[in-house]
Amino acid sequence: MPHPSPHLQPGPTAPAAGDPDWRVWSDAWTRHIPTLTGRTDLTVTVAPGAGGGAPACCYPDAGRIEVDATYIGAPDIANPRRAGHKRLVPTAYGLLVHEAAHAAHSRWRTPPGTPPVVAAAAELLEESRIEYRQRTRRRGDRRWLRHTVTTLISADDAAVDDPWHAAHLAALLLARVDARILTTKDTKGIRAAVTTVLGRKRLLQLRDLWRHAHTVDDNDADTMIDLAWRWCRILDIDPHRQPQAPAADAGVFAGLLAQALTDYLAHTAGLTPGQYRDQQITERFCAPATWTHRDPTDGERAAARVLAARLRAARTHHAEPDTRPSPVPPGRLRTRHAITAQAQIAAGAAPTATPWQRRTQLPPPKPTLHLGVIVDASFSMHPYAAPMSSAGWILAHAAHSNQAVTATIAFGSDVTLLVPPRRRPTHVLELRADGGSTAFTEAVKLADQLLQLRQPGRLRMLAVVSDGDLPDTGPAQRLITTLHRTGCPVLWLRPADLDGHTFTDTTTILVADPVQAIGHIADAAVTALEHA
């Protein structure tokens, strides 16, 4: 979730619908909640989808706490009436403890007329404050609160490397170190990234504020709001001129903060950053259930073979004089290797040394081609759905044995990863072009994440098949320009019969026949290899 406030809702909100299968959990935790809060007027609802869109939510004025049963799993995973059940569902129980801390200690309310950016800063400070107070009152709860941190943080918390998001991440993680929930070792990478963006001086100033917030009384709204105003001033934000909380610029790629957050979340999950990233991408960008798989046709298999041969020829097009070691003559004798070979033979081992060096014609070394293909799945691009589904399969199979990496991504109202990199799909996934076109920037960022399109020193290219009719062309243009300036060419294939926007810093080609788009992408890939 982009901000912690959705899981603390002071105002009246309709309660989540109860689920009979989870009634035992709701009753057991309702009986248990006075132990955590000291309040006897609270009820707990456990049900799938509860929490108002967050993993859990507290409604202090209504005396209600909701926990999404997704973080428990199945109703029979444990007996909630037994004290030991919390060890089997530590994350869900930690969410209950966190919301209990809100119920017990979030007694102040934001005064009317407070600028939203100030309210957002105050709510950020409240996160570590209530956990500090809960831990002070019940020291054993720290164990469970640690389990909630990863569920209360999302990738949106570090969308870009700007002061607001760096401070946001600091308040969610570094402040919990001073609250004695996390440790300095846990957040070492986060601290380094935040310091790079904010600077050491500003980070120390923010730390003074959240440490002060930890000492604020539960009913002291004035002090919390004053600290929030000071928070904004440190970040050079004037709430009078900029009343809304800064939003991440959709036209900027993620940077140091996102990488540090990924590393942190991967470590807590017991995974490598690559494994964690692949897991998140698979879960977030999977194909809709309405998209079907089919066997590749003979024509698609033939096209993959032809393209593979073209890529292979492009890599070996210009042979150059070179030398190559050999175990037998002719050639130039290399004395050291000859002695090594004799020693290996004398020792009764199979000789592995190559005493001779001969001249030969070898192709020059070529870099690995990283090709991203982004396909528009909006309704106007319906004729291109079938050809681009085929293109993803053909490119993946042609690249498999030719030191190339491809990824095919579809965007509409959402982003779908059609063909992941370094995969050789057995079936063709048929995309359906029936959505909008709002997710283009997210698709570009996903392509960059999968293929490192901005990384210098590698051969890379991005191909886009779209009419360019996007709701907001500004962020899209900034992303394209960023790729262009880092040396990643962008090939834009536009349908000739559709009106659309032409972006700068691209090579734009008008396509009359949807099938021709596959040929243009293949030609561009071959040309890139030939000139590498």
Side-chain angles (χ1 to χ4, degrees):
M1 61 189 177
H3 195 275
S5 58
H7 74 93
L8 178 63
Q9 299 287 348
T13 306
D19 189 324
D21 294 337
W22 293 92
R23 180 64 180 271
V24 174
W25 284 84
S26 299
D27 293 343
W29 279 5
T30 297
R31 289 192 296 269
H32 179 61
I33 200 66
T35 303
L36 298 176
T37 62
R39 292 178 55 174
T40 59
D41 61 332
L42 296 173
T43 60
V44 179
T45 299
V46 180
C57 189
C58 176
Y59 302 88
D61 294 345
R64 188 174 76 255
I65 290 175
E66 296 181 4
V67 179
D68 188 348
T70 303
Y71 294 89
I72 297 176
D76 59 353
I77 195 171
N79 185 351
R81 298 187 183 94
R82 295 182 178 273
H85 82 282
K86 63 188 72 171
R87 291 193 296 270
L88 300 177
V89 289
T91 299
Y93 185 75
L95 291 171
L96 178 67
V97 174
H98 180 83
E99 302 309 327
H102 274 302
H105 301 290
S106 292
R107 298 179 181 175
W108 63 273
R109 298 291 177 266
T110 302
T114 302
V117 66
V118 175
E123 289 161 356
L124 273 175
L125 293 169
E126 182 72 357
E127 289 299 289
S128 62
R129 188 191 76 85
I130 57 104
E131 291 192 358
Y132 175 80
R133 305 283 285 197
Q134 183 75 10
R135 181 192 179 280
T136 301
R137 188 166 50 85
R138 290 174 48 87
R139 296 179 63 86
D141 285 348
R142 172 186 181 271
R143 172 185 178 184
W144 312 111
L145 289 171
R146 282 178 60 86
H147 285 281
T148 69
V149 176
T150 56
T151 62
L152 297 176
I153 293 178
S154 75
D156 294 333
D157 293 316
V160 294
D161 288 351
D162 64 9
W164 175 262
H165 286 85
H168 187 102
L169 202 56
L172 292 179
L173 290 174
L174 302 186
R176 281 184 164 98
V177 175
D178 288 316
R180 298 182 182 180
I181 303 300
L182 301 177
T183 66
T184 302
K185 183 179 180 181
D186 292 333
T187 59
K188 182 179 179 181
I190 298 291
R191 187 178 300 276
V194 170
T195 303
T196 300
V197 176
L198 286 179
R200 181 177 177 83
K201 181 179 178 180
R202 279 205 289 189
L203 179 56
L204 290 176
Q205 291 173 332
L206 295 179
R207 187 190 184 199
D208 289 339
L209 294 186
W210 72 58
R211 293 180 73 177
H212 187 181
H214 293 169
T215 66
V216 174
D217 186 75
D218 294 341
N219 296 300
D220 193 349
D222 293 339
T223 301
M224 290 299 296
I225 296 301
D226 178 65
L227 293 175
W229 277 92
R230 291 165 59 186
W231 183 278
C232 293
R233 286 195 293 268
I234 291 173
L235 298 178
D236 297 324
I237 296 174
D238 184 353
H240 296 296
R241 297 183 177 182
Q242 186 182 349
Q244 299 298 324
D249 186 347
V252 177
F253 287 98
L256 288 175
L257 297 177
Q259 182 61 54
L261 181 56
T262 298
D263 292 346
Y264 167 79
L265 294 173
H267 176 72
T268 58
L271 304 171
T272 65
Q275 291 172 334
Y276 178 81
R277 189 179 298 108
D278 291 344
Q279 182 187 84
Q280 295 300 307
I281 288 174
T282 301
E283 294 176 357
R284 184 175 180 182
F285 301 112
C286 61
T290 55
W291 293 15
T292 59
H293 290 80
R294 63 170 175 81
D295 293 330
T297 64
D298 292 340
E300 289 166 341
R301 296 181 189 276
R305 290 193 295 269
V306 170
L307 179 55
R310 292 183 63 191
L311 293 174
R312 195 176 305 113
R315 298 191 66 86
T316 60
H317 190 60
H318 298 290
E320 297 179 356
D322 203 347
T323 58
R324 182 170 59 184
S326 173
V328 295
R332 179 181 178 183
L333 181 65
R334 300 190 296 176
T335 306
R336 180 189 302 173
H337 293 269
I339 294 173
T340 301
Q342 291 297 324
Q344 290 174 334
I345 294 172
T352 58
T354 51
W356 301 90
Q357 181 171 284
R358 64 176 64 173
R359 293 186 177 184
T360 185
Q361 294 288 322
L362 293 177
K366 295 278 189 176
T368 299
L369 172 64
H370 291 75
L371 171 62
V373 179
I374 296 179
V375 182
D376 190 340
S378 61
F379 182 77
S380 61
M381 294 292 293
H382 177 73
Y384 286 77
M388 289 300 99
S389 299
S390 299
W393 188 92
I394 293 170
L395 289 170
H397 277 255
H400 181 73
S401 59
N402 287 282
Q403 293 179 288
V405 180
T406 68
T408 305
I409 301 166
F411 78 92
S413 302
D414 298 301
V415 174
T416 301
L417 181 57
L418 282 174
V419 181
R422 297 181 177 85
R423 298 285 180 86
R424 195 177 183 183
T426 56
H427 294 84
V428 177
L429 175 59
E430 292 189 308
L431 69 90
R432 295 184 60 178
D434 54 5
S437 57
T438 58
F440 174 76
T441 56
E442 190 176 1
V444 176
K445 293 176 182 179
L446 176 60
D448 174 69
Q449 185 178 3
L450 293 172
L451 302 171
Q452 290 79 51
L453 297 178
R454 290 176 294 146
Q455 182 175 326
R458 59 171 56 195
L459 180 61
R460 57 218 194 272
M461 184 179 71
L462 178 66
V464 181
V465 182
S466 171
D467 58 8
D469 186 15
L470 308 179
D472 192 352
T473 58
Q477 181 64 70
R478 290 196 293 275
L479 292 178
I480 292 170
T481 300
T482 299
L483 291 176
H484 173 76
R485 290 176 178 174
T486 57
C488 176
V490 179
L491 172 67
W492 197 289
L493 303 177
R494 267 189 55 195
D497 58 342
L498 295 178
D499 294 332
H501 179 75
T502 299
F503 291 87
T504 59
D505 297 323
T506 67
T507 300
T508 302
I509 299 177
L510 296 180
V511 181
D513 184 354
V515 178
Q516 292 178 352
I518 304 176
H520 287 303
I521 297 173
D523 292 343
V526 171
T527 302
L529 273 176
E530 288 179 340
H531 292 85

